[in-house]
Amino acid sequence: MKPELIHNGTDGVNVMHPCFESSDLFLMFPSDPSVICILVYSVLAFLSIATICGNLLVITSVVYFKQLHTPTNYFILSLSLADLLVGVLVFPFSMALTVTSCLHQENLICKIRDVFDVSLCTSSILNLCCISIDRYYAVCQPLTYKSKITDQVALTMIIVCWGVAVMIGLSIVIGGFNQGTCEEMCSVTVILSNIMGPVLSFYLPAVVMSCIYLKIFFVAQRQVNSIQSSKSLSKVERKATKTLAIVMGVFLLFMSPYFFCVVFQPLFSDPVSIPVIETLNWLTLSNSMLNPFIYAFFYNWFRSAFKMIITGKIYQGDFGDSKLI
């Protein structure tokens, strides 16, 4: 996600980013890039490929294996789709059009990149909200869980998430970000965009998720200490809740620094430097790579599914009904 930086002139910009050099009012990729630039883009290309491959494994697993056709995994599928699109669309756009380059060449392509960036990030956190709601009913109301969180309900929640994410992404980009001091340059629209955008797309969902998982934690503790713990809260549900809470925690850890910067920076006297913004931007994007590894580490059935896909076993016959370990 990229705020629209306010910066006067091009002096010193070429030393702020290892892969661009200034030419009049434009920033250009040099014909003879530095070693640091090559190293940076090699790392980013690896992150993009890992993000695409990892999330493709998750999506293929949930779609192919019938054992994984559950509302919880449908939410995971939707989250993986958002992360996959980050790897396919946002990573290449952000490598070609960095914060630094779009600062001086603001155009339609930069706007399109920003819409993808904001929308997919918002979709990820809204899908995590859906997962937390799913876990709440699974743990806190296990007897009514299957009747309340059905496949149709899950599909409806996912569609709403994506619709809201796209609307927020378009609204924020059209309203405009400001990453700089608020003197005469900040209109009411830009100020609202800087505040309301992050509140709607990050802070509010984060607070909701945190409250839900705290509630789940306290209920789970009571159930574990009760005589009926073995009936009311299965080992599978506890593990699923713990794993998805870790996914949410990692997401918040990677996203929080950027959003803190976006909201509070206009109140400071000096704008945050471009290298810091670039680093925080890539930190948020790299989160999309981690979820498949978390699933593989905690879930035996995802590990089994990944192994069958990677070894090509699913192409040798119909294994959709296979019992995953």
Side-chain angles (χ1 to χ4, degrees), residues 28-61:
M28 301 175 58
F29 195 87
S31 57
D32 185 21
S34 65
V35 174
I36 296 178
C37 175
I38 294 174
L39 179 61
V40 167
Y41 271 74
S42 298
V43 171
L44 296 181
F46 170 78
L47 290 177
S48 178
I49 294 172
T51 299
I52 294 170
C53 293
N55 286 288
L56 270 178
L57 281 175
V58 175
I59 293 171
T60 304
S61 299

Side-chain angles (χ1 to χ4, degrees), residues 312-323:
K313 186 176 181 180
I314 63 172
Y315 303 109
Q316 301 171 10
D318 185 4
F319 294 93
D321 294 316
S322 300
K323 182 70 174 177

Side-chain angles (χ1 to χ4, degrees), residues 12-153:
V13 173
N14 59 321
V15 299
M16 288 186 176
H17 196 286
C19 299
F20 285 83
E21 58 185 17
S22 61
S23 175
D24 297 327
L25 297 177
F26 297 96
L27 288 176
M28 301 175 58
F29 195 87
S31 57
D32 185 21
S34 65
V35 174
I36 296 178
C37 175
I38 294 174
L39 179 61
V40 167
Y41 271 74
S42 298
V43 171
L44 296 181
F46 170 78
L47 290 177
S48 178
I49 294 172
T51 299
I52 294 170
C53 293
N55 286 288
L56 270 178
L57 281 175
V58 175
I59 293 171
T60 304
S61 299
V62 176
V63 171
Y64 183 80
F65 294 101
K66 294 181 180 179
Q67 181 182 339
L68 301 181
H69 290 182
T70 65
T72 301
N73 288 332
Y74 293 150
F75 293 129
I76 291 177
L77 172 65
S78 180
L79 176 62
S80 295
L81 178 59
D83 290 338
L84 173 67
L85 291 177
V86 168
V88 172
L89 298 174
V90 181
F91 264 94
F93 266 121
S94 294
M95 291 169 68
L97 301 167
T98 63
V99 170
T100 309
S101 62
C102 277
L103 166 63
H104 294 276
Q105 304 178 53
E106 185 66 24
N107 52 34
L108 180 61
I109 301 300
C110 285
K111 292 289 186 183
I112 293 174
R113 190 279 299 269
D114 293 346
V115 170
F116 284 137
D117 198 345
V118 177
S119 298
L120 293 174
C121 174
T122 304
S123 175
S124 292
I125 196 167
L126 292 181
N127 276 295
L128 285 171
C129 272
C130 289
I131 290 173
S132 66
I133 294 171
D134 171 82
R135 291 297 85 206
Y136 172 81
Y137 280 104
V139 174
C140 301
Q141 300 183 26
L143 299 180
T144 60
Y145 169 67
K146 290 187 177 180
S147 62
K148 289 187 175 181
I149 307 297
T150 62
D151 292 350
Q152 291 75 17
V153 170

